[in-house]
Amino acid sequence: MIKDKYTIERRYIDKRQNVRPGSRLVSGTPGFLVAHDTGNPGATADKHFEYFQGLVNRSASAQVFIDDKKILEIIPTGTGTDPAEKAWHVLYNVTADNEKYGDDANDIALGVELCYGGKIDFPEAYKRFVWYLAYCCDKWGLNPLTHIPSHKQLDPTRKSDIDQALKTADKTLKDLLYDVAKEMQQEPVVIVAPTAVQLPANVAQTLIDEYVSPAWFAARQAGDSAGTLHLHNLANNLRMAARIPLQPGSSAPFTQLPKSNVQELVFRWLSPGWTAAKVKGDKTAMAYYNNTANHLRRAAGMPTE
């Protein structure tokens, strides 16, 4: 899966028995994930951090809150360097979690909360929620189809989450689980840089004759020793990219053209030539300048335009 698709922000609430007891999950790493929604439409992840940071009159919490802007862990989950800790997100006196997973959700599972409603962009929040669940399943070898119960499934007589939030977007728990599975199957896009290819000898020689050599003579007449040396090296780089021997009878292995040379040749000479041809409506000349620039780009292993 794409493991760097989103950033996980970790900003932990203070340790207090009623919200963050500070004890580790007895399972070490999470054994399953409970899909919650906040039941608090319009409240963001940051607002829930503030709420639980200040909560004093009851025991409740969850490890993660996700909205359309961020994935916020307010209690360690084990995705970072801190080991996973308990949160109070499912009542101990319900038995569905024990029957299905062999222990209490608070002791072996993460509570992951979806923020929704109000000004929260649900599709963006949902994408982050799906990715985070997929990331956790991938990290700990969990099957999303069997290891992500909803809060409603664990406490059906009292709770309706995460179904109530999903319903606002005409989604079901089944949709969520399949979307998580699909997210786990996504592969990162690998961009392979083009391989540098030899510059045609006639292109190299034309560039030297029409642009580089006249500029070299002008620099020499002006007493510009640095300029003459640079242009001399530029001409030789073109020759080596085209496998033109620098000395008669010498070998001429291909040498990739420096990208800085391509940029100079294009912006100093070819681009102005193309612009002038465009003003004249000379499509043949425009094609010539464009093709020449692309020959240079290929010789430097750059993408063509």
Side-chain angles (χ1 to χ4, degrees), residues 191-209:
I191 300 175
V192 180
T195 302
V197 299
Q198 181 179 328
L199 182 67
N202 65 312
V203 172
Q205 195 60 55
T206 298
L207 289 167
I208 292 169
D209 293 343

Side-chain angles (χ1 to χ4, degrees), residues 33-36 148-155 161-163 173:
L33 314 168
V34 182
H36 296 264
I148 307 179
S150 70
H151 196 187
K152 179 181 178 179
Q153 287 178 318
L154 300 184
D155 194 354
D161 60 318
I162 183 174
D163 305 61
L173 179 63

Side-chain angles (χ1 to χ4, degrees), residues 7 35 71 111 140 186 195 204 218 220 273 285:
T7 299
I71 298 167
W140 293 302
Q186 287 193 14
T195 302
R220 183 181 182 186

Side-chain angles (χ1 to χ4, degrees), residues 33 100-101 133 137 142-150 153 173-182 184-185:
L33 314 168
K100 190 169 185 178
Y101 299 104
L133 292 173
C137 286
L142 305 176
N143 182 343
L145 302 184
T146 57
H147 286 75
I148 307 179
S150 70
Q153 287 178 318
L173 179 63
K174 181 179 178 180
D175 293 330
L176 171 64
L177 301 185
Y178 281 6
D179 286 342
V180 173
K182 188 184 301 182
M184 292 177 70
Q185 295 168 2

Side-chain angles (χ1 to χ4, degrees), residues 36-39 66 112-116 122 125-126 129 162 165-166:
H36 296 264
D37 66 56
T38 63
I66 301 173
V112 186
E113 300 264 2
L114 174 62
C115 302
Y116 70 102
F122 185 89
Y126 182 76
F129 190 72
I162 183 174
L166 296 175

Side-chain angles (χ1 to χ4, degrees), residues 230-231 234 259-269:
H230 168 71
L231 291 162
L234 175 58
K259 293 179 182 178
S260 59
N261 287 171
V262 177
Q263 293 168 341
E264 178 179 358
L265 289 160
V266 170
F267 290 110
R268 187 171 179 178
W269 289 300

